Amino acid sequence: KLSLRVKAELFWKNISDYASTHSNPQILNNYSSLLNTLSDNPYFLYNYIAVALMHKDYYKAEEIGRKCACFWADYDLEVLRGITARELKNYKQSLKHLELAHNMCPNRLEPLHELALTYEQAGRHRDAISLCRLVLETTPKIYNSESARIKEAARNTLKGYGYD
């Protein structure tokens, strides 16, 4: 049993490395083949969600996200679950996950940005505008290229609504 586990973890490392630079439908089949052996590993499950999202397999990402949530309450997991729910047009669920992520880390811009995108896709434009303004007003704990990208996206969204 231990040798099977070690082989599975080594295979996971190899396909994870490959998945970070390639887009290939076989990758999801490889992850699926490891699920029975590594289903108790939240790091594997989290990685599986990220790969499923990259491959736009939102139903698989949602399923694995539920399993992963049994192991931990994590900011990054909630963001991924929120994005997944939005892609499935389950806006209520998306808002729940993204608001939870925001409450976990209030100075991070990503959940606010993702919330704004969810409101926009759900047709709640006033809420999207309010959140874009909040993104621009929020000072992140660490300002980096990701923060700059999110602030620029918020500015562009506001410009699209006719605000400067």
Side-chain angles (χ1 to χ4, degrees), residues 108-128:
R108 292 231 181 136
L109 298 179
E110 186 177 16
L112 293 174
H113 173 66
E114 297 296 341
L115 278 164
L117 292 175
T118 301
Y119 281 129
E120 189 171 31
Q121 285 185 19
R124 294 175 57 181
H125 302 290
R126 286 185 181 163
D127 292 321

Side-chain angles (χ1 to χ4, degrees), residues 132-161:
C132 286
R133 287 181 174 150
L134 183 58
V135 164
L136 295 175
E137 294 168 4
T138 300
T139 303
K141 203 172 193 178
I142 299 170
Y143 197 85
N144 55 25
S145 61
E146 184 66 11
S147 302
R149 183 194 66 75
I150 290 171
K151 284 189 176 270
E152 184 62 26
R155 272 194 274 303
N156 289 337
T157 298
L158 288 174
K159 283 180 187 174
Y161 283 113

Side-chain angles (χ1 to χ4, degrees), residues 62-76:
E62 180 186 45
E63 172 194 337
I64 302 301
R66 280 193 307 272
K67 290 179 183 185
C68 191
C70 294
F71 291 95
W72 57 18
D74 177 73
Y75 162 84
D76 293 310

Side-chain angles (χ1 to χ4, degrees), residues 13-106:
K13 184 211 178 301
N14 290 335
I15 62 173
S16 177
D17 289 346
Y18 183 80
S20 67
T21 57
H22 297 82
S23 181
N24 179 336
Q26 181 59 35
I27 292 169
L28 286 176
N29 292 335
N30 290 335
Y31 272 86
S32 182
S33 72
L34 294 172
L35 191 56
N36 283 340
T37 307
L38 299 178
S39 64
D40 62 343
N41 183 332
Y43 299 102
F44 167 76
L45 295 173
Y46 179 84
N47 184 240
Y48 193 171
I49 297 164
V51 170
L53 275 173
M54 283 176 24
H55 287 85
K56 299 183 182 336
D57 189 341
Y58 305 119
Y59 291 103
K60 181 56 71 176
E62 180 186 45
E63 172 194 337
I64 302 301
R66 280 193 307 272
K67 290 179 183 185
C68 191
C70 294
F71 291 95
W72 57 18
D74 177 73
Y75 162 84
D76 293 310
L77 175 61
E78 292 304 323
V79 170
L80 290 183
R81 292 184 77 196
I83 293 168
T84 299
R86 181 180 64 231
E87 293 300 327
L88 292 171
K89 301 198 181 338
N90 186 345
Y91 301 120
K92 183 177 177 182
Q93 198 67 20
S94 176
L95 294 171
K96 178 188 134 198
H97 291 297
L98 294 169
E99 286 170 1
L100 181 56
H102 172 64
N103 290 335
M104 289 173 160
C105 297

